[in-house]
Amino acid sequence: MLARRPDWQQRLQWYLTCNSTTVFHYGTFDCGLFVCDAIREMTDIDLAANYRERYDSRAGAKALMQLNSGTGSLLEVTEEITEHFGMLKIRPPFAQRGDVVLLKRSREYSLGLIALDGCEILTCYHRGFVRLPFHRALRAWRV
């Protein structure tokens, strides 16, 4: 089970500030690694250890998910990882600052994080973060 550090808010703010203009790139700064890096800042636990630095394209990410989890679905891999680390699945309206959310973006799923203001979802985009309305969350997990 994950436990947030006492200074998780400052650490998350630091992480978000340092990466506010980081360019999206599969394998270094994509939606999954963005969320896992934020969780690592808050808890010191690396949920992406089996994925880090092992792919550099969308196809590579899907192939690695298939290899590690038997599925290329971000939704199914997220469900597996969150269950493995004891992250409580919650209804999206009950997600709070720093919690993980799954959202639908066009035809694909994406991962995001509830912003420190508690009102928006942050996810990485081409050049830094994009802020999305809270109602876009389809599923959520407590960190």
Side-chain angles (χ1 to χ4, degrees), residues 16-135:
L16 295 173
T17 299
C18 289
N19 289 285
S20 64
T21 59
T22 301
V23 176
F24 179 97
H25 186 268
Y26 282 104
T28 56
F29 194 73
D30 54 46
C31 71
L33 291 176
F34 159 66
V35 166
C36 289
D37 288 347
I39 291 170
R40 185 172 59 181
E41 285 300 321
M42 291 186 282
T43 68
D44 290 329
I45 305 294
D46 187 3
L47 277 63
N50 292 334
Y51 291 88
R52 203 169 293 288
E53 298 181 20
R54 296 186 56 203
Y55 63 95
D56 62 3
S57 67
R58 182 171 181 260
K62 285 191 169 282
L64 188 57
M65 287 190 295
Q66 183 72 40
L67 179 69
N68 285 345
S69 298
T71 178
S73 164
L74 181 62
L75 169 61
E76 292 178 33
V77 170
T78 301
E79 292 275 0
E80 178 183 305
I81 291 172
T82 55
E83 183 177 328
H84 175 78
F85 284 94
M87 294 172 65
L88 178 65
K89 188 175 188 177
I90 55 176
R91 291 188 27 212
F94 297 105
Q96 300 173 5
R97 299 174 309 141
D99 286 342
V100 175
V101 296
L102 181 86
L103 48 125
K104 188 90 164 165
R105 291 176 64 185
S106 57
R107 293 174 287 166
E108 297 290 325
Y109 289 109
S110 184
L111 291 174
L113 198 68
I114 301 298
L116 284 167
D117 67 6
C119 300
E120 299 173 303
I121 299 168
L122 296 175
T123 190
C124 60
Y125 201 60
H126 299 293
R127 295 197 186 278
F129 304 131
V130 62
R131 294 177 178 275
L132 300 172
F134 199 88
H135 73 272

